[in-house]
Amino acid sequence: MGKSTLLEAIAVGLGFNSEGGMKNFNFSSYDSHSDLDQYLRLVRGPYKPKDHFFFRAETFYNVATKIEEMALGGAKVVDAFGGKSLHEQSHGESFFAAFNERFRGDGLYILDEPEAALSPLRQMAVLARIHELVK
């Protein structure tokens, strides 16, 4: 088992889609997640996060596609990512938009390889954003 497999199992165990996104995302581009979530015992505390997101680098393109589909149906979900299509941005810009626009704090954010598409400067900016969110 690797780090990504464990993060995926935790996310799925908490009700996230295995490909990532918000808890209400229910789609599958290719059903390949492990069944490790069935063997985990997750314990929740009294604190209930107001925001949720499973950010998974390897399937973020699929999440962006789902967001586009939802926008075509009239949903305003693109607004939560800065109002610009994630597919019309570079890979790194769309990652960065998720951190700067979608993550609002007071939430549970499960991050799997969030640095994958980012330059070193953007990686530092994401660390600063995570610090802001923690505060």
Side-chain angles (χ1 to χ4, degrees):
M1 172 184 70
K3 296 179 295 291
S4 292
T5 303
L6 180 59
L7 286 173
E8 173 191 85
I10 292 169
V12 170
L14 290 171
F16 287 95
N17 179 18
S18 66
E19 292 188 47
M22 298 167 276
K23 279 194 168 184
N24 62 342
F25 278 21
N26 189 14
F27 68 94
S28 178
S29 301
Y30 181 74
D31 194 16
S32 64
H33 73 280
S34 77
D35 61 352
L36 179 61
D37 62 288
Q38 297 173 24
Y39 301 96
L40 294 179
R41 183 173 175 208
L42 301 174
V43 179
R44 294 176 175 92
Y47 171 74
K48 185 172 181 170
K50 293 181 180 158
D51 191 25
H52 305 84
F53 201 91
F54 176 28
F55 186 93
R56 187 172 193 182
E58 70 182 81
T59 53
F60 190 67
Y61 181 89
N62 301 346
V63 170
T65 300
K66 181 63 176 174
I67 290 167
E68 294 290 322
E69 290 171 2
M70 292 170 72
L72 289 174
K76 301 283 187 191
V77 70
V78 173
D79 293 346
F81 291 86
K84 185 177 179 185
S85 165
L86 295 170
H87 284 309
E88 292 176 7
Q89 302 177 53
S90 73
H91 195 48
E93 288 173 330
S94 66
F95 272 42
F96 200 65
F99 286 98
N100 276 344
E101 305 292 338
R102 173 60 187 82
F103 297 178
R104 297 180 292 270
D106 197 18
L108 172 65
Y109 306 112
I110 301 173
L111 310 175
D112 183 23
E113 299 180 359
E115 77 290 350
L118 302 174
S119 69
L121 182 62
R122 289 286 197 194
Q123 289 176 9
M124 295 303 291
V126 165
L127 284 174
R129 179 68 178 140
I130 290 171
H131 181 71
E132 288 173 4
L133 292 168
V134 169
K135 285 185 168 189

